[in-house]
Amino acid sequence: MKKILITGGAGFIGSHVVRLFVAKYVDYQIYNLDALTYAGNLENLVDVEKASNYTFVKGDITDENFISELFQLHQFDGVIHLAAESHVDRSIEDPMAFVKTNVIGTVNLLNAARKIWHGNFEGKMFYHISTDEVYGSLGAEGLFTETTAYDPNSPYSASKASSDHFVRAYGETYGLPYVLTNCSNNYGPNHFPEKLIPLFINNIIHNKPLPVYGDGNYTRDWLFVIDHARAIDLVFHTGKNHETYNIGGFNEWKNIDLVRLLCGIMDTKLGRESGESSKLITYVKDRPGHDLRYAIDASKINTALGWSPSVTFEQGLEITVNWYLNNSDWLSHITSGEYAAYYEKQYQ
Ligand code: NAD
Ligand code: TYD
């Protein structure tokens, strides 16, 4: 029996990873450690909360003593670390929150793993989940590979880059077994509506303006979240120790083209005239330090581990839009309270 700690399991990607592991590995004990910040939501996991191989632990990865005691108590065999502050716009407002959770929190976990494994690394693995944003911005051409130099531009990406460096340093210095993945933008069910796709779905439903930053010609590479969870499963079990893998959707979209596509889908779903939702598009002040383009070369994980996305963007968007339309309670719980204050401040 393996004991696996998943951090940030109540968040967007983490909840899909928890669901996959709890269902697929009935002989593992899965511990989900999450501080339940504004982004953490146990409603994401109602279908797994009663499973006998699942335990939720509320706690903060920045709390050194708590983390150390938790590792001593459960003697985890593996860590899949997703807990993070994850939104670029929030990092521009409050960089220190990102330093605390993404850097100090990660180092706390590394120290705790190192302490309980104390040199006996057989069957152990620390899996750090990172982002393609650590590579900075691409121009019109080229793709991020695993050897692209780090060049982060936002406090969010700088904090993730820093945590990646600590993971590598613990591998080199202490021999800690690790794997690390840098993934492109995810989308799908349970995505917090501060990020582009769920924010715009929610605003279209409520006939609110769609705030496109700058000229809308920024490009992102979109991956369906369940395909990211599949990749995490594969890398955790078959990834090579001390290796990095890039994960991406081979799916680049300019923001404005993506928004128009989404508006078209929503028109159909909501029975609106074609072109009605796109009238909500409103160009607003650009994000400072806005990265022009992200695009992943995912050929290493494809060739080495046999991973590729299982759904097309059209299929993934259809599933996503249907999920938001069928889960209005989830959306309304999220968008009450703190969210309203955040929205007011960000888009005033
Ligand atoms: P999210 O913001 O939806 O979820 C983060 C989770 O971490 C939440 O449940 C939150 O409560 C928890 N958390 C935050 N601070 C914590 C703390 N101090 N202690 C314990 N738990 C804490 O994020 P996400 O989009 O699911 O991203 C998960 C991971 O994947 C992050 O590390 C992120 O950098 C990375 N990533 C995200 C994307 C993306 O497109 N969303 C792409 C690539 C990589
Ligand atoms: P986001 O979902 O915040 O992801 P990231 O910044 O990590 O890539 O943003 C995706 C793209 O959409 C990015 O280029 C910024 C842009 N964007 C808008 O134009 N308007 C918005 O309200 C938001 C949240 C994002």
Side-chain angles (χ1 to χ4, degrees):
M1 192 195 73
K2 272 184 186 275
K3 285 189 173 187
I4 309 296
L5 176 70
I6 300 179
T7 70
F12 167 46
I13 302 170
S15 61
H16 290 279
V17 176
V18 166
R19 179 171 299 104
L20 177 70
F21 272 66
V22 167
K24 188 168 170 185
Y25 300 106
V26 286
D27 54 336
Y28 290 5
Q29 276 301 321
I30 305 297
Y31 294 82
N32 169 15
L33 168 65
D34 198 296
L36 298 182
T37 69
Y38 79 91
N41 183 356
L42 290 178
E43 281 187 52
N44 294 345
L45 290 166
V46 275
D47 53 329
V48 290
E49 67 191 7
K50 292 204 169 64
S52 57
N53 62 338
Y54 172 71
T55 307
F56 174 70
V57 182
K58 185 171 186 296
D60 191 327
I61 60 168
T62 67
D63 183 338
E64 189 180 343
N65 291 334
F66 167 75
I67 291 298
S68 171
E69 282 165 20
L70 188 75
F71 275 69
Q72 291 292 346
L73 180 66
H74 296 297
Q75 300 288 317
F76 303 115
D77 301 294
V79 178
I80 305 180
H81 174 36
L82 296 112
E85 288 292 338
S86 67
H87 190 39
V88 173
D89 293 328
R90 289 187 193 249
S91 82
I92 294 166
E93 279 301 306
D94 181 14
M96 193 51 85
F98 287 68
V99 174
K100 285 183 183 148
T101 288
N102 299 359
V103 186
I104 296 172
T106 300
V107 176
N108 275 339
L109 293 169
L110 289 166
N111 281 338
R114 191 184 148 222
K115 204 154 114 194
I116 59 158
W117 296 340
H118 48 79
N120 182 6
F121 296 134
E122 186 61 33
K124 313 295 185 217
M125 185 52 76
F126 190 103
Y127 183 174
H128 181 60
I129 311 294
S130 192
T131 164
D132 60 356
E133 304 193 25
V134 298
Y135 297 123
S137 183
L138 291 164
E141 300 289 317
L143 299 171
F144 296 133
T145 71
E146 288 78 2
T147 55
T148 301
Y150 275 30
D151 189 19
N153 292 315
S154 72
Y156 164 64
S157 54
S159 68
K160 290 298 291 187
S162 172
S163 64
D164 293 7
H165 291 319
F166 271 103
V167 173
R168 281 208 188 85
Y170 274 60
E172 290 304 313
T173 307
Y174 308 113
L176 193 90
Y178 76 84
V179 279
L180 199 161
T181 50
N182 298 91
C183 188
S184 63
N185 286 63
N186 285 214
Y187 71 95
N190 304 108
H191 204 182
F192 193 86
E194 64 185 350
K195 310 278 169 58
L196 181 76
I197 291 180
L199 179 85
F200 280 32
I201 291 174
N202 187 39
N203 283 14
I204 293 169
I205 293 170
H206 294 100
N207 264 310
K208 284 171 68 178
L210 306 177
V212 172
Y213 294 161
D215 60 7
N217 284 320
Y218 296 90
T219 300
R220 297 292 183 264
D221 174 359
W222 293 94
L223 177 69
F224 189 51
V225 64
I226 291 172
D227 280 327
H228 189 189
R230 286 175 50 245
I232 290 171
D233 177 18
L234 197 62
V235 171
F236 182 69
H237 288 99
T238 63
K240 200 169 153 212
N241 188 12
H242 289 198
E243 285 288 304
T244 290
Y245 301 89
N246 280 353
I247 307 171
F250 305 100
N251 180 40
E252 285 184 53
W253 284 81
K254 280 197 169 146
N255 291 343
I256 190 61
D257 296 336
L258 166 53
V259 170
R260 292 219 166 91
L261 175 71
L262 195 56
C263 287
I265 296 171
M266 293 298 286
D267 281 343
T268 309
K269 297 277 175 195
L270 297 171
R272 292 181 184 167
E273 296 261 314
S274 167
E276 205 177 320
S277 298
S278 63
K279 288 187 195 143
L280 298 168
I281 293 172
T282 310
Y283 292 93
V284 300
K285 193 159 93 46
D286 211 348
R287 171 188 281 173
H290 198 165
D291 287 331
L292 179 66
R293 177 171 163 258
Y294 304 143
I296 284 278
D297 176 354
S299 50
K300 177 174 170 182
I301 188 171
N302 179 257
T303 312
L305 306 183
W307 176 88
S308 58
S310 68
V311 296
T312 64
F313 194 42
E314 288 68 22
Q315 291 167 328
L317 265 188
E318 172 86 15
I319 296 168
T320 304
V321 166
N322 286 343
W323 188 86
Y324 280 92
L325 291 174
N326 293 331
N327 287 275
S328 50
D329 280 355
W330 182 95
L331 203 49
S332 62
H333 293 166
I334 289 255
T335 50
S336 57
E338 194 268 354
Y339 180 81
Y342 165 78
Y343 196 92
E344 186 61 29
K345 191 159 180 244
Q346 178 67 21
Y347 297 103
Q348 54 194 316

